[in-house]
Amino acid sequence: MLSNPIKVFIGYDPQETIAYHVLANSIMRQSSKPVQITPLMLKNLPLTRGREVTQSTEFAFSRFLVPWLCNYEGKAIFMDCDMLCRMDIADLFKQTTDYNAQVSVVKHNYTPIDEDKFLGNKQTRYPMKNWSSLMIFNNPKCRVLTPEIVNEASGMYLHQFQWADEIGEIPKAYNHLVGEYKPNPNAKIVHYTLGTPCFKKYQHCEFSKEWYDEKNMVLNYDNYGEYAKPERHAA
């Protein structure tokens, strides 16, 4: 009997298309169980609210539609696209020990160092910064997250989890913030929160070589056959 696939939703932004594919490949390549990966593309979603000036990506609010997209059944993972998975995604569910929580996250406690992010986007500072960048939703307990609420609620209400009575905690290694935390060679999931290595400014950041190695796997550089072979990144 086949197990139900692990549902993973990844934030999608046209500026980071390659980042989405690199993350998806890193998840599929290492997973011990079937995975169902869904990009959160705005044109496919019932999200009508305008983009706010503080948003650096298109998926700032669409992430909170995940329980609705799952018909409020089972569990599901949301991940920002600027991440790299270095482990079996099935192991991530084992980190959710609080079964009464609506959602589980890495509870970061830090102040961003840089003033700017990728492509000149301004850095924002607020409580629970980056908590919502990786979430495990306990979907039946998240019925409050309807499309109407996600369209109308404030960013504070959504990203600071005012909709949740209980928030479970995931170890920090599952959302390692590159450039914000000290280097961690044992990080499970890498988060290039300042900018993915596809942007020139961050092409030599921590774990950039692994990101480019994964990108090469996506492009299947070793099996191009008669196709032109782009130059490898010299990281």
Side-chain angles (χ1 to χ4, degrees):
M1 180 177 174
L2 290 175
S3 61
N4 291 327
I6 297 170
K7 293 183 178 181
V8 181
F9 292 80
I10 300 176
Y12 181 89
D13 190 294
Q15 298 177 112
E16 296 184 274
T17 299
I18 187 61
Y20 165 83
H21 289 288
V22 169
L23 173 56
N25 195 72
S26 71
I27 293 169
M28 294 185 294
R29 183 174 59 80
Q30 298 173 95
S31 181
S32 62
K33 295 184 178 180
V35 288
Q36 178 182 314
I37 298 177
T38 303
L40 292 177
M41 301 181 72
L42 285 186
K43 71 182 186 67
N44 300 330
L45 300 170
L47 200 64
T48 57
R49 67 189 302 165
R51 182 166 179 163
E52 298 181 3
V53 293
T54 56
Q55 284 183 236
S56 57
T57 65
E58 287 191 355
F59 50 85
F61 297 105
S62 59
R63 68 191 69 200
F64 297 103
L65 289 173
V66 166
W68 176 78
L69 289 167
C70 294
N71 198 29
Y72 304 107
E73 296 175 352
K75 288 185 178 182
I77 298 169
F78 168 81
M79 304 174 73
D80 279 4
C81 67
D82 55 351
M83 291 183 166
L84 183 72
C85 188
R86 306 179 74 225
M87 38 71 76
D88 184 349
I89 197 69
D91 291 340
L92 184 55
F93 277 132
K94 298 176 183 177
Q95 308 306 315
T96 55
T97 56
D98 189 348
Y99 299 105
N100 292 316
Q102 284 98 331
V103 64
S104 295
V105 303
V106 174
K107 296 183 178 180
H108 301 286
N109 182 17
Y110 80 107
T111 301
I113 299 171
D114 288 357
E115 294 296 326
D116 296 317
K117 299 176 70 174
F118 66 96
L119 298 181
N121 290 300
K122 291 297 180 183
Q123 183 66 268
T124 55
R125 294 174 172 84
Y126 54 86
M128 302 184 181
K129 175 77 172 178
N130 262 317
W131 284 30
S132 62
S133 61
L134 184 145
M135 297 180 280
I136 301 179
F137 288 103
N138 191 355
N139 293 322
K141 293 181 176 290
C142 298
R143 292 182 180 276
V144 66
L145 294 178
T146 62
E148 292 74 22
I149 288 293
V150 176
N151 267 307
E152 298 170 7
S154 68
M156 182 183 297
Y157 176 83
L158 294 169
H159 285 279
Q160 295 183 29
F161 300 93
Q162 295 176 6
W163 51 271
D165 298 319
E166 205 165 333
I167 306 170
E169 186 164 7
I170 301 170
K172 190 183 291 185
Y174 289 86
N175 193 349
H176 173 68
L177 304 181
V178 171
E180 299 286 9
Y181 290 158
K182 293 180 180 179
N184 179 11
N186 298 316
K188 305 290 187 181
I189 296 176
V190 175
H191 185 184
Y192 306 96
T193 182
L194 299 177
T196 51
C198 60
F199 298 115
K200 186 176 182 180
K201 184 177 179 179
Y202 307 104
Q203 63 182 326
H204 299 300
C205 67
E206 183 190 12
F207 292 112
S208 62
K209 184 180 184 304
E210 287 191 26
W211 188 90
Y212 274 98
D213 287 345
E214 197 73 41
K215 174 181 173 244
N216 290 344
M217 293 182 205
V218 171
L219 298 176
N220 200 16
Y221 273 10
D222 293 327
N223 296 287
Y224 256 68
E226 63 185 34
Y227 292 101
K229 190 172 183 178
E231 292 183 5
R232 291 180 181 271
H233 172 78

